[in-house]
Every structure is written in structure tokens, then in C-alpha cells.
Amino acid sequence: MLLRWPLFFLWVLVTGAPASAFAQPSSDATADPVLLNLVYHADVMGRLAIPSCGGEGEEPPSFAALVSVIDTLRKRSDPQPRPLALLGGNSLAPGLFARGILARKGYEGAQALVAMLKQAGYSALALGHHDLGLERVRLERFAQAAQTQELPMVATNLRCEGQPQPLCQYLKPEVIVEHGGRKVAILSVLSPLAKAAVARALLKGLVIDPPLLAVQAALQRLEARGDISAVVLMTQMPGTKAARQELEGLQRALGQQANELKINVILAGGLSTNADKGVLRVLRQDGGP
């Protein structure tokens, strides 16, 4: 396998009528089809550069190799719209490379990390629970640098309560991007189960709302705009059976929503069968995305 981090390249046809992610065009002849061209991966875990000890065998993959793959996919996209590249969370931790830069170089290091990630041309960057496990000031520096360099960080169901937290001013509940002449909304939710993996002190002042409620509220906001053609939802969950069941429940619940605007694609990060040895693919079921 070329890359340690799973990367998915998706062409998804959706329609203006209520539709699901991998649906055929609607029987409504007036529905205007929209093609989503997505490149998605998650859980880099701060391993942006992996040292090699030399000797025989393949060189370990690096972020530069990942950027090369994404660039190749962009070049092959013609005549389809250039793919939206999405990074689904857990970009900075627990790997020592990114953590070390943030610890030693402060805001300058945060700017350098953001500049590195921008080489892939991401349209949005999700926040993962391992990222929340960073010392708060370091995560805030990164989020501030991302805002300064126009790399949107999206966290739809994370909010601040009580005393204002600097982190929240750098996060967006949704990101709107132009894609193939249409407006596409990008959402991202964290599983509340992820709180068990984050020190309580690091969650102080932060609330992880139930994903379904947060997504419903986002869909209402987006529907009120009247100009959104499709909605993509990134999810970040711990690699447990309970998390997989939570995601499947969310998927089914979203398929039953009465909103005219629907979630068209769910992209799952964090779920695995056995560390890096297997990746779970979430398929459409019960009318869900």
C-alpha cells in the first residue's frame, strides 16, 4: 500500500430533490443533477514526516507523497470538476512530529504546519478528538494560524459555554465552497464518545453536542440560504464498536429527516477494524446518506 493513511476518491451524483449519497438520478425530470468529486482522508495523527533508519525495504510514506497523490487526482479529473480535498480530523496528534513543532516553535511552528497542510489544497479541515488532546494553547495557535492562512477548520457540534474560549472563534460550524459552479456545504461532527479519550481539563469550557441535533440545526441554516446544492458530512469517532453503532444510527436518522436539503455523503474517520490493518466502509442503508 502506498500510503498509511486511507484516501478515498469519490464521484457522487446527487440531485436537487431529496436524495442519498449514492442514489441514482431522481425520477423527477426537473431535478438538476450535481456531481460531487471528492478526495478524502483522515487520521494523519501528526505523522507528517516519518524518519527512516535506512537499510533495505520501502521508504515510509510521508505527507509529501500524499500531496503528490492528491495532485495527480486533480490532474486526472478533467472534464469532471476538480476534486474537493477534505481532511477529516486528527491531523496533529498523537504523532511526535507535529506535536514537537507546536511545542518548540510556538505560533511560528503552527504557521509552518498550516503552510504544509495547505500544499494539499484542502477545502476544509475537521477537528478530531486526538487534536483536542493537545495542550489547549498549542491547538489554539494552530487554529489561529489556519484562519490566518485561510484553511477553514470545521466543527459543527463543538461549542463553547460559560467563559469564552479562544479556540471557538477560529472554528466554523459549516464551510461553504464553490464546486463545479455550485455551492456545497461541508459539515463535521465529533462523536461524544471521544470525550473518554481527552483529558477532562482539556475539555473545560467546550461542549460536544449530540451530532444529530447539530446537523439538523446546520441543515436548517443552510436551507434558509436557498443556494446550497449538496451537503457533505465528515465524522470523527474512536475506533470502537460503540462508535460504529453510533455512526450507523446517525446515518439512519439522517435518512428520515424532513428537511428538503439533505446530507448527501457521510465520510467516516477514526473507524477501523484493527489499527491500520483494516478500514470500515460505511455503506448506504435504510434510506440514509
Side-chain angles (χ1 to χ4, degrees):
M1 185 172 66
L2 175 63
L3 297 172
R4 182 171 301 176
W5 313 298
L7 184 143
F8 300 95
F9 184 47
L10 306 174
W11 284 353
V12 183
L13 182 67
V14 301
T15 69
S20 57
F22 303 103
Q24 296 296 320
S26 169
S27 59
D28 181 356
T30 63
D32 191 6
V34 178
L35 181 70
L36 292 180
N37 193 354
L38 306 174
V39 176
Y40 167 79
H41 71 107
D43 303 302
V44 176
M45 300 292 196
R47 301 181 303 226
L48 296 168
I50 302 177
S52 172
C53 296
E56 301 296 328
E58 295 182 2
E59 288 292 314
S62 67
F63 189 71
L66 183 60
V67 171
S68 177
V69 171
I70 294 174
D71 283 345
T72 298
L73 291 173
R74 285 198 176 99
K75 292 174 182 176
R76 292 177 180 173
S77 65
D78 187 67
Q80 310 297 345
R82 288 170 59 86
L84 297 177
L86 303 174
L87 182 52
N90 290 341
S91 309
L92 305 175
L96 295 178
F97 182 84
R99 290 176 69 101
I101 291 177
L102 290 172
R104 294 190 303 271
K105 299 294 186 178
Y107 186 64
E108 179 184 352
Q111 289 178 308
L113 283 176
V114 172
M116 182 184 296
L117 292 174
K118 279 183 67 69
Q119 298 302 307
Y122 297 118
S123 296
L125 170 64
L127 189 68
H129 56 282
H130 287 299
D131 300 324
L132 284 177
L134 285 168
E135 183 179 336
R136 179 72 65 82
V137 67
R138 296 173 187 172
L139 180 57
E140 289 171 350
R141 286 171 183 158
F142 177 85
Q144 181 183 7
Q147 183 185 76
T148 300
Q149 297 188 44
E150 299 182 341
L151 176 62
M153 293 187 67
V154 57
T156 305
N157 69 328
L158 184 73
R159 61 182 173 85
C160 294
E161 69 172 2
Q163 184 177 353
Q165 305 293 317
L167 176 62
C168 290
Q169 67 180 301
Y170 304 123
L171 304 176
K172 299 179 179 297
E174 59 259 349
V175 173
I176 312 299
V177 297
E178 294 283 344
H179 183 55
R182 310 296 184 95
K183 284 186 169 61
V184 175
I186 311 297
L187 309 180
S188 175
V189 294
L190 280 160
S191 167
L193 295 173
K195 291 188 291 186
V198 182
R200 183 176 300 180
L202 297 175
L203 290 172
K204 185 177 180 180
L206 301 178
V207 177
I208 299 177
D209 287 323
L212 179 59
L213 295 180
V215 171
Q216 287 173 331
L219 288 175
Q220 290 174 358
R221 291 192 300 269
L222 296 169
E223 201 170 75
R225 289 177 52 112
D227 62 347
I228 302 299
S229 298
V231 186
V232 176
L233 173 63
M234 295 187 284
T235 66
Q236 182 60 231
M237 300 190 171
T240 65
K241 181 179 179 180
R244 188 186 75 234
Q245 292 172 338
E246 180 186 57
L247 178 57
E248 290 172 345
L250 175 64
Q251 182 188 34
R252 287 192 294 269
L254 289 173
Q256 300 167 3
Q257 295 301 298
N259 304 70
E260 183 176 348
L261 187 64
K262 301 284 187 179
I263 298 294
N264 300 104
V265 183
I266 293 180
L267 302 170
L271 294 177
S272 65
T273 52
N274 184 12
D276 289 336
K277 296 180 181 178
V279 175
L280 295 177
R281 296 182 179 182
V282 181
L283 303 179
R284 183 186 179 214
Q285 59 179 345
D286 299 336

